[in-house]
Amino acid sequence: MIDFIITCQVHVKDVKQTRVMLGASATNMSDHRMFHSKLAVSLKQQLNYRSKQQLSRLNVSRFNSHSVCQQLRVHLNQRFVDVCNFKHRTDLERTWSCLCNCVYTASLETLGLYRRKHKDWFDDNDSEIHELCIECHAYQ
């Protein structure tokens, strides 16, 4: 019998013990055997090098309404007046970050955040599944 498991060189130290077992039938004369191996796997925490905060997703489906579009225009016009009066116009980075912040906050106030709704798996055939569950529990 060969007691080996093929692994990458990096993970060789993680394989602690390997054993080969016989199959279910004693008359099985196959070359294939079941093996059992114990591993000591350690997962390292992935480092996140992002320096900027990731922005939340906006609910852009609300753009279908004309009134929401008008409301966003009003909010953006109010915010852009503040940006135009910004004192440090010579510093391009600060002006750009202020502009981005104004657009995002106005959009967030108007559109709101995207909320993901999970669909129920048993909507269509809930009564049938409920009956099957009752029948299953009756047998136990």
Side-chain angles (χ1 to χ4, degrees), residues 42-70:
S42 60
L43 301 174
K44 293 182 181 178
Q45 186 176 8
Q46 187 178 19
L47 298 176
N48 190 1
Y49 292 108
R50 290 185 187 175
S51 60
K52 295 182 180 179
Q53 181 182 4
Q54 189 174 8
L55 300 176
S56 300
R57 291 179 61 185
L58 298 172
N59 187 7
V60 294
S61 64
R62 293 193 60 203
F63 273 125
N64 295 334
S65 172
H66 184 69
S67 63
V68 172
C69 292
Q70 288 296 105

PDB file of all heavy atoms in Angstrom, residues 42-70:
ATOM      1  N   SER A  42      -4.222  25.941   8.956  1.00  0.00           N
ATOM      2  CA  SER A  42      -4.400  27.221   9.643  1.00  0.00           C
ATOM      3  C   SER A  42      -4.660  28.283   8.585  1.00  0.00           C
ATOM      4  O   SER A  42      -3.912  28.424   7.622  1.00  0.00           O
ATOM      5  CB  SER A  42      -3.158  27.572  10.460  1.00  0.00           C
ATOM      6  OG  SER A  42      -2.041  27.679   9.605  1.00  0.00           O
ATOM      7  N   LEU A  43      -5.747  29.000   8.766  1.00  0.00           N
ATOM      8  CA  LEU A  43      -6.129  30.049   7.827  1.00  0.00           C
ATOM      9  C   LEU A  43      -5.660  31.390   8.367  1.00  0.00           C
ATOM     10  O   LEU A  43      -5.905  31.720   9.525  1.00  0.00           O
ATOM     11  CB  LEU A  43      -7.640  30.067   7.629  1.00  0.00           C
ATOM     12  CG  LEU A  43      -8.241  28.773   7.090  1.00  0.00           C
ATOM     13  CD1 LEU A  43      -9.751  28.881   7.075  1.00  0.00           C
ATOM     14  CD2 LEU A  43      -7.713  28.468   5.714  1.00  0.00           C
ATOM     15  N   LYS A  44      -5.010  32.139   7.517  1.00  0.00           N
ATOM     16  CA  LYS A  44      -4.554  33.457   7.917  1.00  0.00           C
ATOM     17  C   LYS A  44      -5.609  34.481   7.537  1.00  0.00           C
ATOM     18  O   LYS A  44      -6.256  34.360   6.506  1.00  0.00           O
ATOM     19  CB  LYS A  44      -3.235  33.796   7.228  1.00  0.00           C
ATOM     20  CG  LYS A  44      -2.097  32.938   7.692  1.00  0.00           C
ATOM     21  CD  LYS A  44      -0.809  33.343   7.023  1.00  0.00           C
ATOM     22  CE  LYS A  44       0.319  32.451   7.495  1.00  0.00           C
ATOM     23  NZ  LYS A  44       1.580  32.801   6.826  1.00  0.00           N
ATOM     24  N   GLN A  45      -5.749  35.482   8.365  1.00  0.00           N
ATOM     25  CA  GLN A  45      -6.700  36.539   8.080  1.00  0.00           C
ATOM     26  C   GLN A  45      -6.165  37.377   6.934  1.00  0.00           C
ATOM     27  O   GLN A  45      -5.010  37.794   6.933  1.00  0.00           O
ATOM     28  CB  GLN A  45      -6.912  37.405   9.309  1.00  0.00           C
ATOM     29  CG  GLN A  45      -7.986  38.435   9.136  1.00  0.00           C
ATOM     30  CD  GLN A  45      -8.218  39.213  10.418  1.00  0.00           C
ATOM     31  OE1 GLN A  45      -7.480  39.083  11.373  1.00  0.00           O
ATOM     32  NE2 GLN A  45      -9.247  40.033  10.422  1.00  0.00           N
ATOM     33  N   GLN A  46      -7.015  37.611   5.953  1.00  0.00           N
ATOM     34  CA  GLN A  46      -6.615  38.371   4.791  1.00  0.00           C
ATOM     35  C   GLN A  46      -6.551  39.850   5.150  1.00  0.00           C
ATOM     36  O   GLN A  46      -7.464  40.404   5.749  1.00  0.00           O
ATOM     37  CB  GLN A  46      -7.609  38.157   3.656  1.00  0.00           C
ATOM     38  CG  GLN A  46      -7.175  38.770   2.358  1.00  0.00           C
ATOM     39  CD  GLN A  46      -8.183  38.474   1.248  1.00  0.00           C
ATOM     40  OE1 GLN A  46      -9.315  38.127   1.514  1.00  0.00           O
ATOM     41  NE2 GLN A  46      -7.740  38.610   0.022  1.00  0.00           N
ATOM     42  N   LEU A  47      -5.442  40.474   4.795  1.00  0.00           N
ATOM     43  CA  LEU A  47      -5.262  41.882   5.091  1.00  0.00           C
ATOM     44  C   LEU A  47      -5.941  42.723   4.027  1.00  0.00           C
ATOM     45  O   LEU A  47      -5.870  42.423   2.843  1.00  0.00           O
ATOM     46  CB  LEU A  47      -3.774  42.219   5.146  1.00  0.00           C
ATOM     47  CG  LEU A  47      -2.976  41.501   6.222  1.00  0.00           C
ATOM     48  CD1 LEU A  47      -1.509  41.856   6.104  1.00  0.00           C
ATOM     49  CD2 LEU A  47      -3.489  41.848   7.599  1.00  0.00           C
ATOM     50  N   ASN A  48      -6.598  43.743   4.463  1.00  0.00           N
ATOM     51  CA  ASN A  48      -7.306  44.635   3.552  1.00  0.00           C
ATOM     52  C   ASN A  48      -6.514  45.936   3.465  1.00  0.00           C
ATOM     53  O   ASN A  48      -6.397  46.675   4.434  1.00  0.00           O
ATOM     54  CB  ASN A  48      -8.721  44.890   4.067  1.00  0.00           C
ATOM     55  CG  ASN A  48      -9.566  45.599   3.049  1.00  0.00           C
ATOM     56  OD1 ASN A  48      -9.112  45.896   1.948  1.00  0.00           O
ATOM     57  ND2 ASN A  48     -10.793  45.891   3.413  1.00  0.00           N
ATOM     58  N   TYR A  49      -5.953  46.200   2.306  1.00  0.00           N
ATOM     59  CA  TYR A  49      -5.116  47.376   2.133  1.00  0.00           C
ATOM     60  C   TYR A  49      -5.876  48.561   1.537  1.00  0.00           C
ATOM     61  O   TYR A  49      -5.276  49.524   1.103  1.00  0.00           O
ATOM     62  CB  TYR A  49      -3.922  47.039   1.228  1.00  0.00           C
ATOM     63  CG  TYR A  49      -2.955  46.088   1.893  1.00  0.00           C
ATOM     64  CD1 TYR A  49      -2.850  44.775   1.480  1.00  0.00           C
ATOM     65  CD2 TYR A  49      -2.168  46.508   2.949  1.00  0.00           C
ATOM     66  CE1 TYR A  49      -1.968  43.909   2.090  1.00  0.00           C
ATOM     67  CE2 TYR A  49      -1.285  45.654   3.566  1.00  0.00           C
ATOM     68  CZ  TYR A  49      -1.182  44.351   3.132  1.00  0.00           C
ATOM     69  OH  TYR A  49      -0.320  43.500   3.740  1.00  0.00           O
ATOM     70  N   ARG A  50      -7.170  48.495   1.506  1.00  0.00           N
ATOM     71  CA  ARG A  50      -7.943  49.614   0.958  1.00  0.00           C
ATOM     72  C   ARG A  50      -7.858  50.796   1.914  1.00  0.00           C
ATOM     73  O   ARG A  50      -8.143  50.676   3.091  1.00  0.00           O
ATOM     74  CB  ARG A  50      -9.403  49.226   0.778  1.00  0.00           C
ATOM     75  CG  ARG A  50      -9.615  48.244  -0.320  1.00  0.00           C
ATOM     76  CD  ARG A  50     -11.089  48.017  -0.492  1.00  0.00           C
ATOM     77  NE  ARG A  50     -11.313  46.951  -1.444  1.00  0.00           N
ATOM     78  CZ  ARG A  50     -12.471  46.456  -1.731  1.00  0.00           C
ATOM     79  NH1 ARG A  50     -13.544  46.934  -1.135  1.00  0.00           N
ATOM     80  NH2 ARG A  50     -12.588  45.485  -2.598  1.00  0.00           N
ATOM     81  N   SER A  51      -7.495  51.901   1.366  1.00  0.00           N
ATOM     82  CA  SER A  51      -7.411  53.089   2.208  1.00  0.00           C
ATOM     83  C   SER A  51      -8.714  53.881   2.193  1.00  0.00           C
ATOM     84  O   SER A  51      -9.011  54.603   3.113  1.00  0.00           O
ATOM     85  CB  SER A  51      -6.258  53.979   1.739  1.00  0.00           C
ATOM     86  OG  SER A  51      -6.476  54.382   0.404  1.00  0.00           O
ATOM     87  N   LYS A  52      -9.484  53.739   1.111  1.00  0.00           N
ATOM     88  CA  LYS A  52     -10.733  54.472   1.005  1.00  0.00           C
ATOM     89  C   LYS A  52     -11.894  53.613   1.491  1.00  0.00           C
ATOM     90  O   LYS A  52     -11.897  52.408   1.336  1.00  0.00           O
ATOM     91  CB  LYS A  52     -10.988  54.875  -0.440  1.00  0.00           C
ATOM     92  CG  LYS A  52      -9.978  55.861  -0.974  1.00  0.00           C
ATOM     93  CD  LYS A  52     -10.305  56.257  -2.386  1.00  0.00           C
ATOM     94  CE  LYS A  52      -9.300  57.240  -2.922  1.00  0.00           C
ATOM     95  NZ  LYS A  52      -9.599  57.619  -4.293  1.00  0.00           N
ATOM     96  N   GLN A  53     -12.881  54.254   2.056  1.00  0.00           N
ATOM     97  CA  GLN A  53     -14.069  53.556   2.503  1.00  0.00           C
ATOM     98  C   GLN A  53     -14.950  53.264   1.289  1.00  0.00           C
ATOM     99  O   GLN A  53     -15.158  54.114   0.432  1.00  0.00           O
ATOM    100  CB  GLN A  53     -14.829  54.427   3.499  1.00  0.00           C
ATOM    101  CG  GLN A  53     -16.059  53.767   4.043  1.00  0.00           C
ATOM    102  CD  GLN A  53     -16.810  54.694   4.986  1.00  0.00           C
ATOM    103  OE1 GLN A  53     -16.428  55.842   5.163  1.00  0.00           O
ATOM    104  NE2 GLN A  53     -17.866  54.208   5.578  1.00  0.00           N
ATOM    105  N   GLN A  54     -15.432  52.023   1.219  1.00  0.00           N
ATOM    106  CA  GLN A  54     -16.271  51.646   0.096  1.00  0.00           C
ATOM    107  C   GLN A  54     -17.673  52.229   0.298  1.00  0.00           C
ATOM    108  O   GLN A  54     -18.260  52.114   1.372  1.00  0.00           O
ATOM    109  CB  GLN A  54     -16.343  50.130  -0.017  1.00  0.00           C
ATOM    110  CG  GLN A  54     -17.011  49.659  -1.270  1.00  0.00           C
ATOM    111  CD  GLN A  54     -16.927  48.150  -1.413  1.00  0.00           C
ATOM    112  OE1 GLN A  54     -16.503  47.462  -0.517  1.00  0.00           O
ATOM    113  NE2 GLN A  54     -17.348  47.663  -2.552  1.00  0.00           N
ATOM    114  N   LEU A  55     -18.186  52.864  -0.745  1.00  0.00           N
ATOM    115  CA  LEU A  55     -19.490  53.506  -0.653  1.00  0.00           C
ATOM    116  C   LEU A  55     -20.599  52.474  -0.782  1.00  0.00           C
ATOM    117  O   LEU A  55     -20.467  51.494  -1.508  1.00  0.00           O
ATOM    118  CB  LEU A  55     -19.627  54.559  -1.752  1.00  0.00           C
ATOM    119  CG  LEU A  55     -18.596  55.686  -1.722  1.00  0.00           C
ATOM    120  CD1 LEU A  55     -18.784  56.597  -2.923  1.00  0.00           C
ATOM    121  CD2 LEU A  55     -18.697  56.476  -0.441  1.00  0.00           C
ATOM    122  N   SER A  56     -21.695  52.707  -0.089  1.00  0.00           N
ATOM    123  CA  SER A  56     -22.840  51.804  -0.162  1.00  0.00           C
ATOM    124  C   SER A  56     -23.557  51.994  -1.486  1.00  0.00           C
ATOM    125  O   SER A  56     -23.515  53.065  -2.098  1.00  0.00           O
ATOM    126  CB  SER A  56     -23.802  52.088   0.981  1.00  0.00           C
ATOM    127  OG  SER A  56     -23.157  51.892   2.208  1.00  0.00           O
ATOM    128  N   ARG A  57     -24.243  50.948  -1.920  1.00  0.00           N
ATOM    129  CA  ARG A  57     -24.954  51.000  -3.199  1.00  0.00           C
ATOM    130  C   ARG A  57     -26.232  51.814  -3.060  1.00  0.00           C
ATOM    131  O   ARG A  57     -26.975  51.690  -2.094  1.00  0.00           O
ATOM    132  CB  ARG A  57     -25.289  49.581  -3.644  1.00  0.00           C
ATOM    133  CG  ARG A  57     -24.054  48.798  -4.026  1.00  0.00           C
ATOM    134  CD  ARG A  57     -24.401  47.414  -4.426  1.00  0.00           C
ATOM    135  NE  ARG A  57     -25.274  47.436  -5.592  1.00  0.00           N
ATOM    136  CZ  ARG A  57     -25.822  46.361  -6.119  1.00  0.00           C
ATOM    137  NH1 ARG A  57     -25.599  45.197  -5.599  1.00  0.00           N
ATOM    138  NH2 ARG A  57     -26.608  46.456  -7.168  1.00  0.00           N
ATOM    139  N   LEU A  58     -26.479  52.633  -4.061  1.00  0.00           N
ATOM    140  CA  LEU A  58     -27.681  53.472  -4.075  1.00  0.00           C
ATOM    141  C   LEU A  58     -28.807  52.748  -4.806  1.00  0.00           C
ATOM    142  O   LEU A  58     -28.570  51.927  -5.690  1.00  0.00           O
ATOM    143  CB  LEU A  58     -27.381  54.793  -4.774  1.00  0.00           C
ATOM    144  CG  LEU A  58     -26.318  55.657  -4.098  1.00  0.00           C
ATOM    145  CD1 LEU A  58     -25.978  56.838  -4.984  1.00  0.00           C
ATOM    146  CD2 LEU A  58     -26.786  56.125  -2.751  1.00  0.00           C
ATOM    147  N   ASN A  59     -30.034  53.080  -4.457  1.00  0.00           N
ATOM    148  CA  ASN A  59     -31.210  52.467  -5.068  1.00  0.00           C
ATOM    149  C   ASN A  59     -31.530  53.207  -6.365  1.00  0.00           C
ATOM    150  O   ASN A  59     -32.385  54.081  -6.409  1.00  0.00           O
ATOM    151  CB  ASN A  59     -32.387  52.522  -4.098  1.00  0.00           C
ATOM    152  CG  ASN A  59     -33.569  51.754  -4.596  1.00  0.00           C
ATOM    153  OD1 ASN A  59     -33.497  51.066  -5.601  1.00  0.00           O
ATOM    154  ND2 ASN A  59     -34.674  51.868  -3.885  1.00  0.00           N
ATOM    155  N   VAL A  60     -30.837  52.849  -7.452  1.00  0.00           N
ATOM    156  CA  VAL A  60     -30.995  53.552  -8.726  1.00  0.00           C
ATOM    157  C   VAL A  60     -32.295  53.201  -9.429  1.00  0.00           C
ATOM    158  O   VAL A  60     -32.664  53.862 -10.402  1.00  0.00           O
ATOM    159  CB  VAL A  60     -29.792  53.280  -9.664  1.00  0.00           C
ATOM    160  CG1 VAL A  60     -28.533  53.882  -9.102  1.00  0.00           C
ATOM    161  CG2 VAL A  60     -29.620  51.811  -9.921  1.00  0.00           C
ATOM    162  N   SER A  61     -33.011  52.200  -8.956  1.00  0.00           N
ATOM    163  CA  SER A  61     -34.294  51.858  -9.572  1.00  0.00           C
ATOM    164  C   SER A  61     -35.331  52.961  -9.340  1.00  0.00           C
ATOM    165  O   SER A  61     -36.335  53.024 -10.046  1.00  0.00           O
ATOM    166  CB  SER A  61     -34.810  50.531  -9.033  1.00  0.00           C
ATOM    167  OG  SER A  61     -35.076  50.625  -7.655  1.00  0.00           O
ATOM    168  N   ARG A  62     -35.066  53.844  -8.388  1.00  0.00           N
ATOM    169  CA  ARG A  62     -35.994  54.955  -8.131  1.00  0.00           C
ATOM    170  C   ARG A  62     -35.917  56.028  -9.204  1.00  0.00           C
ATOM    171  O   ARG A  62     -36.736  56.943  -9.235  1.00  0.00           O
ATOM    172  CB  ARG A  62     -35.722  55.568  -6.760  1.00  0.00           C
ATOM    173  CG  ARG A  62     -36.052  54.585  -5.636  1.00  0.00           C
ATOM    174  CD  ARG A  62     -36.093  55.223  -4.299  1.00  0.00           C
ATOM    175  NE  ARG A  62     -37.112  56.270  -4.258  1.00  0.00           N
ATOM    176  CZ  ARG A  62     -37.090  57.267  -3.390  1.00  0.00           C
ATOM    177  NH1 ARG A  62     -36.129  57.365  -2.512  1.00  0.00           N
ATOM    178  NH2 ARG A  62     -38.031  58.189  -3.408  1.00  0.00           N
ATOM    179  N   PHE A  63     -34.919  55.941 -10.123  1.00  0.00           N
ATOM    180  CA  PHE A  63     -34.822  56.894 -11.220  1.00  0.00           C
ATOM    181  C   PHE A  63     -35.978  56.751 -12.208  1.00  0.00           C
ATOM    182  O   PHE A  63     -36.179  57.616 -13.047  1.00  0.00           O
ATOM    183  CB  PHE A  63     -33.506  56.737 -11.989  1.00  0.00           C
ATOM    184  CG  PHE A  63     -32.377  57.520 -11.400  1.00  0.00           C
ATOM    185  CD1 PHE A  63     -31.203  56.900 -11.051  1.00  0.00           C
ATOM    186  CD2 PHE A  63     -32.480  58.884 -11.208  1.00  0.00           C
ATOM    187  CE1 PHE A  63     -30.159  57.611 -10.523  1.00  0.00           C
ATOM    188  CE2 PHE A  63     -31.434  59.607 -10.679  1.00  0.00           C
ATOM    189  CZ  PHE A  63     -30.268  58.963 -10.326  1.00  0.00           C
ATOM    190  N   ASN A  64     -36.736  55.681 -12.132  1.00  0.00           N
ATOM    191  CA  ASN A  64     -37.882  55.503 -13.028  1.00  0.00           C
ATOM    192  C   ASN A  64     -38.961  56.553 -12.781  1.00  0.00           C
ATOM    193  O   ASN A  64     -39.742  56.862 -13.671  1.00  0.00           O
ATOM    194  CB  ASN A  64     -38.470  54.097 -12.870  1.00  0.00           C
ATOM    195  CG  ASN A  64     -37.500  53.026 -13.310  1.00  0.00           C
ATOM    196  OD1 ASN A  64     -36.632  53.280 -14.133  1.00  0.00           O
ATOM    197  ND2 ASN A  64     -37.642  51.838 -12.760  1.00  0.00           N
ATOM    198  N   SER A  65     -39.000  57.089 -11.588  1.00  0.00           N
ATOM    199  CA  SER A  65     -39.992  58.106 -11.245  1.00  0.00           C
ATOM    200  C   SER A  65     -39.461  59.487 -11.629  1.00  0.00           C
ATOM    201  O   SER A  65     -38.332  59.862 -11.301  1.00  0.00           O
ATOM    202  CB  SER A  65     -40.289  58.057  -9.751  1.00  0.00           C
ATOM    203  OG  SER A  65     -41.087  59.137  -9.380  1.00  0.00           O
ATOM    204  N   HIS A  66     -40.292  60.253 -12.337  1.00  0.00           N
ATOM    205  CA  HIS A  66     -39.901  61.599 -12.774  1.00  0.00           C
ATOM    206  C   HIS A  66     -39.744  62.540 -11.579  1.00  0.00           C
ATOM    207  O   HIS A  66     -38.869  63.412 -11.565  1.00  0.00           O
ATOM    208  CB  HIS A  66     -40.930  62.139 -13.764  1.00  0.00           C
ATOM    209  CG  HIS A  66     -40.566  63.463 -14.335  1.00  0.00           C
ATOM    210  ND1 HIS A  66     -39.506  63.623 -15.205  1.00  0.00           N
ATOM    211  CD2 HIS A  66     -41.109  64.696 -14.136  1.00  0.00           C
ATOM    212  CE1 HIS A  66     -39.416  64.905 -15.519  1.00  0.00           C
ATOM    213  NE2 HIS A  66     -40.382  65.573 -14.900  1.00  0.00           N
ATOM    214  N   SER A  67     -40.589  62.376 -10.565  1.00  0.00           N
ATOM    215  CA  SER A  67     -40.526  63.259  -9.400  1.00  0.00           C
ATOM    216  C   SER A  67     -39.217  63.070  -8.630  1.00  0.00           C
ATOM    217  O   SER A  67     -38.659  64.030  -8.092  1.00  0.00           O
ATOM    218  CB  SER A  67     -41.719  63.019  -8.481  1.00  0.00           C
ATOM    219  OG  SER A  67     -41.693  61.700  -7.986  1.00  0.00           O
ATOM    220  N   VAL A  68     -38.708  61.840  -8.584  1.00  0.00           N
ATOM    221  CA  VAL A  68     -37.442  61.572  -7.898  1.00  0.00           C
ATOM    222  C   VAL A  68     -36.289  62.231  -8.653  1.00  0.00           C
ATOM    223  O   VAL A  68     -35.372  62.809  -8.041  1.00  0.00           O
ATOM    224  CB  VAL A  68     -37.214  60.050  -7.742  1.00  0.00           C
ATOM    225  CG1 VAL A  68     -35.830  59.757  -7.212  1.00  0.00           C
ATOM    226  CG2 VAL A  68     -38.261  59.452  -6.822  1.00  0.00           C
ATOM    227  N   CYS A  69     -36.342  62.204  -9.982  1.00  0.00           N
ATOM    228  CA  CYS A  69     -35.300  62.855 -10.793  1.00  0.00           C
ATOM    229  C   CYS A  69     -35.296  64.363 -10.538  1.00  0.00           C
ATOM    230  O   CYS A  69     -34.222  64.964 -10.395  1.00  0.00           O
ATOM    231  CB  CYS A  69     -35.516  62.562 -12.270  1.00  0.00           C
ATOM    232  SG  CYS A  69     -35.239  60.849 -12.722  1.00  0.00           S
ATOM    233  N   GLN A  70     -36.470  64.945 -10.474  1.00  0.00           N
ATOM    234  CA  GLN A  70     -36.574  66.377 -10.208  1.00  0.00           C
ATOM    235  C   GLN A  70     -36.040  66.704  -8.814  1.00  0.00           C
ATOM    236  O   GLN A  70     -35.339  67.703  -8.624  1.00  0.00           O
ATOM    237  CB  GLN A  70     -38.030  66.848 -10.323  1.00  0.00           C
ATOM    238  CG  GLN A  70     -38.554  66.888 -11.728  1.00  0.00           C
ATOM    239  CD  GLN A  70     -37.804  67.895 -12.569  1.00  0.00           C
ATOM    240  OE1 GLN A  70     -36.988  67.506 -13.388  1.00  0.00           O
ATOM    241  NE2 GLN A  70     -38.046  69.166 -12.343  1.00  0.00           N
TER     242      GLN A  70
END
